[in-house]
Amino acid sequence: MKTYAVTVGRALVLGAMALLDAALVVVILVTSLLTFGLGMIFFFPPMVRLLRFRTGVARRLTGGWLGIAVPVPYLPSPLPVRPQPDGWYRYERQLYKTPRWPDWNNRLKWMFGDPATWRDGLWVFFNPLAGALLLLPLLLAGYALLTFRSDLPAAGSPLLALAAALTLLTTPVLLRGYARWNHLLLSPTAKAVLTARVQRLDQARLATVDSQASELRRIERDLHDGAQARLVAMGMTLGAVEELMDKDPAAAKALLGKVREASSTALVELRDLVKGIHPPVLAERGLGDAVRALALDSPLKVIVTVDLASRPDSPVESAAYFSISELLTNAARHGGAERVWIDISSNDRALRVVVTDDGSGGADPSLGSGLRGIERRLAAFDGVLVVNSPKGGPTTATFDLPNALSGEGGPDRKSSLPRGKAIIVGICWGLGWLPLFPQGLVAMFMKIFDAEERSWVLALYLPESLQWPLIVFNILLGLSMYTAGTLIPAIHTRQQRLAEVLPARLWLDRC
């Protein structure tokens, strides 16, 4: 009962806010007239900010109260204008002494060209109607309650109570429909999603290029300072052996022993170098066994737990392996840890790795440590690193790589409308005419023209005080059924289009 009371209260608040949007519609119309009719373009940015504030409130309430998250759909804001070498600021073909007007023009162009701005306006224009529909059952129940307390015949009391109960029972359904309405117009479009994804991928690409360049420099340095230097020394030693072979065979034999030792050391260094590029055990046995082998070579006591139903792709495995290796190195070198726990598991299609050590803590990625390198490595795969390292320890580093595992669910990109939704759509289109036309519009005209023949019109058999409320309810019910029958396939089609335009590796299950 408490939950239902909260639902009714939320419906009242959301419906009242939607009705108040009618005043915002008037403000937008007046501002649009001043902006586009009289050329007062400076009214446009404040109007857009007010509109985005209102839709931001609606998104937060839809996510917090109605349980459907609505992401922010706006395109990335323009960067501040930078001065030219001569100190002037350019906007298209105009030069300015200060950045004020170029920045203002860029923001105006950004607001005007963002499709989400116009979708917000469309939502505000029709939201009062949605709010009226949301409040209709509550108004009918209140009207029935007032009528019940008046001089109503006793025979009408059960019917009145039944009508009030039925109207209140529709409130949760209308709230779910209102949440879908908000998600339809206030969530990002496919273009906005792709634009944000492209921007993030550009940043990840630059970080990946920098990371690969540093890896190449490390490999070159290791080859130059390690195996290459030893091979050069071996060549010089073999030259000395050739000269001593006839003069001093014992000395030549001793030098050959040193050459053999140097060759063994060079071979070990080359194997370590190859292991640092891509460990053979990672390619042959997978991430779990590679991390276990890494734990055996670590001076720390490492406990590894692996729970994976399938292997990630090779690049993802490599990124996860070297990230774990870097975290182990940090725990031993900087954290002063003695024990480390590594947990590798799956979260739906995401690969999740949790590394915990009992060190002194205080790790901070913002200080430019090796954790920044891990972030750059994971960013290429949309990975996120979270570090919890209070002073005194322990340190817990968690990173997720979304869509890293195949065969564990994910969106069905070619699925048809689910059976439950298809049944609802069929009922809405098949029976929506019944309350709308014969029991709604026809009853309304018969009531207006005071027709004597009531025929099969149910509302006209009720007491006079209940006829108009039931007629209005039937009309709105029919319109709601046709609206639901249209919106449910539209939302499903929109999700399928997003699934088609986004690559499989980038699908987020949230659009």
Side-chain angles (χ1 to χ4, degrees):
M1 189 64 184
K2 181 180 178 181
T3 303
Y4 194 81
V6 171
T7 301
V8 173
R10 290 176 177 177
L12 280 172
V13 173
L14 294 174
M17 293 177 64
L19 293 181
L20 291 177
D21 285 339
L24 182 58
V25 170
V26 175
V27 173
I28 291 175
L29 290 175
V30 173
T31 307
S32 301
L33 178 62
L34 294 176
T35 300
F36 302 106
L38 302 180
M40 299 181 182
I41 197 68
F42 50 85
F43 280 113
F44 186 76
M47 180 193 71
V48 173
R49 284 194 289 268
L50 177 62
L51 182 61
R52 291 187 175 184
F53 172 78
R54 173 64 186 96
T55 53
V57 173
R59 291 186 186 94
R60 289 192 294 272
L61 292 180
T62 303
W65 285 6
L66 306 183
I68 297 181
V70 182
V72 178
Y74 307 117
L75 297 177
S77 59
L79 298 175
V81 179
R82 294 184 177 180
Q84 298 184 144
D86 57 2
W88 288 72
Y89 297 86
R90 175 182 293 275
Y91 175 75
E92 294 183 353
R93 304 178 68 178
Q94 299 292 327
L95 293 176
Y96 299 89
K97 292 184 178 180
T98 65
R100 177 182 178 184
W101 289 112
D103 285 337
W104 191 89
N105 289 329
N106 285 333
R107 292 188 65 83
L108 177 65
K109 185 178 180 181
W110 166 60
M111 292 179 177
F112 192 84
D114 194 343
T117 301
W118 308 104
R119 289 165 60 89
D120 288 352
L122 183 65
W123 178 83
V124 167
F125 268 88
F126 289 99
N127 195 46
L129 297 178
L133 181 62
L134 191 62
L135 291 176
L136 179 64
L138 305 178
L139 295 177
L140 290 177
Y143 178 80
L145 182 61
L146 293 176
T147 308
F148 178 75
R149 299 183 64 178
S150 62
D151 298 332
L152 186 71
S157 298
L159 183 61
L160 188 60
L162 179 61
L166 290 177
T167 54
L168 286 176
L169 287 176
T170 59
T171 301
V173 179
L174 291 177
L175 271 179
R176 287 193 292 270
Y178 184 72
R180 291 292 182 184
W181 152 257
N182 290 348
H183 186 272
L184 179 66
L185 284 183
L186 299 183
S187 59
T189 61
K191 181 179 179 181
V193 171
L194 284 177
T195 302
R197 300 289 297 176
V198 168
Q199 186 182 37
R200 288 194 293 270
L201 287 175
D202 284 340
Q203 297 173 354
R205 178 180 60 83
L206 294 176
T208 303
V209 170
D210 292 341
S211 177
Q212 292 299 323
S214 64
E215 288 291 324
L216 288 176
R217 289 192 296 269
R218 181 187 65 82
I219 294 171
E220 292 175 356
R221 183 177 62 252
D222 291 344
L223 285 174
H224 182 271
D225 298 341
Q228 180 179 341
R230 294 189 183 279
L231 291 176
V232 171
M234 287 169 57
M236 296 174 64
T237 305
L238 288 175
V241 168
E242 290 179 354
E243 295 180 359
L244 295 174
M245 187 67 68
D246 297 330
K247 300 178 182 179
D248 192 352
K253 185 176 180 180
L255 289 178
L256 286 176
K258 292 182 179 180
V259 170
R260 184 164 55 259
E261 292 177 1
S263 65
S264 301
T265 304
L267 182 60
V268 171
E269 290 179 349
L270 287 175
R271 286 175 176 173
D272 291 340
L273 183 62
V274 171
K275 185 178 180 181
I277 297 173
H278 193 80
V281 65
L282 180 62
E284 296 171 2
R285 305 289 298 275
L287 180 61
D289 289 339
V291 173
R292 291 188 181 98
L294 188 66
L296 293 176
D297 295 335
S298 175
L300 307 177
K301 185 175 182 181
V302 183
I303 300 175
V304 181
T305 304
V306 181
D307 183 15
L308 292 179
S310 61
R311 283 188 63 174
D313 294 336
S314 178
V316 178
E317 276 190 334
S318 179
Y321 174 83
F322 286 109
S323 299
I324 296 173
S325 176
E326 182 68 25
L327 290 172
L328 275 178
T329 303
N330 288 345
R333 184 180 302 171
H334 305 295
E338 296 181 357
R339 300 169 64 91
V340 178
W341 295 266
I342 301 176
D343 180 73
I344 305 173
S345 61
S346 60
N347 182 18
D348 195 11
R349 295 185 64 204
L351 173 65
R352 170 166 293 180
V353 177
V354 181
V355 180
T356 305
D357 66 70
D358 59 355
S360 59
D364 187 359
S366 63
L367 299 179
S369 61
L371 297 176
R372 295 295 297 273
I374 296 176
E375 289 181 336
R376 290 194 299 268
R377 187 188 297 273
L378 298 177
F381 305 95
D382 281 345
V384 178
L385 173 67
V386 178
V387 179
N388 182 18
S389 181
K391 291 292 184 180
T395 297
T396 300
T398 304
F399 63 84
D400 286 340
L401 292 169
N403 299 294
L405 303 174
S406 60
E408 292 190 16
D412 186 3
R413 293 170 165 263
K414 297 182 179 179
S415 62
S416 59
L417 195 66
R419 179 177 297 179
K421 293 183 178 180
I423 293 175
I424 294 176
V425 171
I427 292 175
C428 290
W429 281 105
L431 300 179
W433 64 273
L434 185 59
L436 179 60
F437 293 105
Q439 301 297 329
L441 296 176
V442 174
M444 179 182 70
F445 285 108
M446 294 179 68
K447 179 69 175 176
I448 292 174
F449 294 104
D450 197 15
E452 296 182 358
E453 179 62 36
R454 291 179 291 184
S455 184
W456 30 258
V457 179
L458 176 63
L460 299 183
Y461 289 93
L462 297 177
E464 187 72 22
S465 59
L466 296 179
Q467 291 181 3
W468 274 115
L470 185 58
I471 291 173
V472 174
F473 176 76
N474 285 333
I475 294 175
L476 293 177
L477 178 60
L479 292 175
S480 301
M481 293 177 70
Y482 280 122
T483 302
T486 304
L487 289 182
I488 291 175
I491 294 173
H492 181 78
T493 302
R494 177 177 178 274
Q495 293 175 344
Q496 295 303 308
R497 288 178 178 175
L498 280 175
E500 292 172 0
V501 299
L502 289 178
R505 184 62 63 190
L506 303 182
W507 180 249
L508 300 179
D509 290 330
R510 65 183 183 187
C511 300

